[in-house]
Amino acid sequence: MKLDMIDVKILCELQKNGRITNVELAELVNLSPSPCLTRMKKLQASGYITGYSAQIDVSKIGETLTVFTEFTLKNHRHTDFSRFQATIEKIDSCVECHLVSGGYDYLAKFVTAGIVHYQTIMEKLIDDDIGIDKYFSFVVIKSPFIKPHLPLISLFRDKLHA
């Protein structure tokens, strides 16, 4: 499926509000409701829309600690990366993991109940001997903003079909 600007506008609006009605969405993207719904169903069927979820204000539930962690592996074989990724993916508190270029191998984001919880996770990872050479932790003091959506139009404007 090749996307056009209307498809990307639909995706942009759904990122902002996944509970928007089809009538409201159609109005925002300048379509009538029936073609808008057809496009949205095609976007879902083609895998562009992978799901819907609620954004939760965790601070209303209780205190948490967010930590970004840089990991460097001892070895860089395919099996070393696979073992690390499989292990870290099973940790509920690890909400993001990125293989990166530069001075370390992975950047992971943990959201934990506190520093003791985070340190327990790190100690277990080291004890499990999954190939970690070293890690550095960066505790988040404050997050001035977190954008829950990507700037799809500016990212793909030049690549879209009219």
Side-chain angles (χ1 to χ4, degrees):
M1 175 180 177
K2 291 187 177 184
L3 300 184
D4 63 15
M5 187 57 80
I6 293 172
D7 295 318
V8 174
K9 286 180 181 178
I10 290 171
L11 294 173
C12 283
E13 294 304 327
L14 288 173
Q15 276 189 125
K16 295 175 191 173
N17 180 3
R19 295 182 68 178
I20 192 170
T21 68
N22 183 57
V23 172
E24 292 169 321
L25 179 60
E27 187 176 310
L28 288 170
V29 300
N30 297 316
L31 284 178
S32 59
S34 182
C36 183
L37 185 60
T38 300
R39 282 177 178 255
M40 193 172 79
K41 286 183 178 181
K42 283 182 182 176
L43 290 166
Q44 289 173 338
S46 298
Y48 289 97
I49 299 170
T50 58
Y52 296 88
S53 63
Q55 296 171 13
I56 309 299
D57 184 351
V58 179
S59 68
K60 293 197 179 271
I61 301 170
E63 287 190 30
T64 61
L65 178 75
T66 300
V67 183
F68 287 93
T69 308
E70 297 174 354
F71 289 99
T72 302
L73 302 184
K74 293 176 188 171
N75 298 300
H76 295 95
R77 298 173 304 231
H78 178 71
T79 56
D80 299 306
F81 289 107
S82 295
R83 181 176 63 227
F84 177 83
Q85 288 171 197
T87 302
I88 202 157
E89 188 174 6
K90 293 175 188 166
I91 301 170
D92 285 341
S93 295
C94 184
V95 297
E96 291 182 27
C97 181
H98 308 273
L99 177 62
V100 298
S101 64
Y104 52 94
D105 299 313
Y106 288 94
L107 178 65
K109 179 181 178 183
F110 292 86
V111 179
T112 67
I115 195 70
V116 172
H117 181 210
Y118 172 75
Q119 191 56 37
T120 300
I121 292 167
M122 292 300 107
E123 288 170 358
K124 182 168 179 1
L125 284 174
I126 299 302
D127 288 346
D128 287 350
D129 195 24
I130 61 166
I132 297 171
D133 182 35
K134 59 186 172 185
Y135 71 93
F136 294 97
S137 306
F138 302 89
V139 174
V140 173
I141 305 300
K142 182 179 180 180
S143 297
F145 67 87
I146 298 173
K147 294 182 180 180
H149 58 277
L150 299 173
L152 297 177
I153 292 173
S154 62
L155 285 173
F156 301 109
R157 179 177 286 122
D158 297 336
K159 297 175 186 169
L160 299 174
H161 299 83

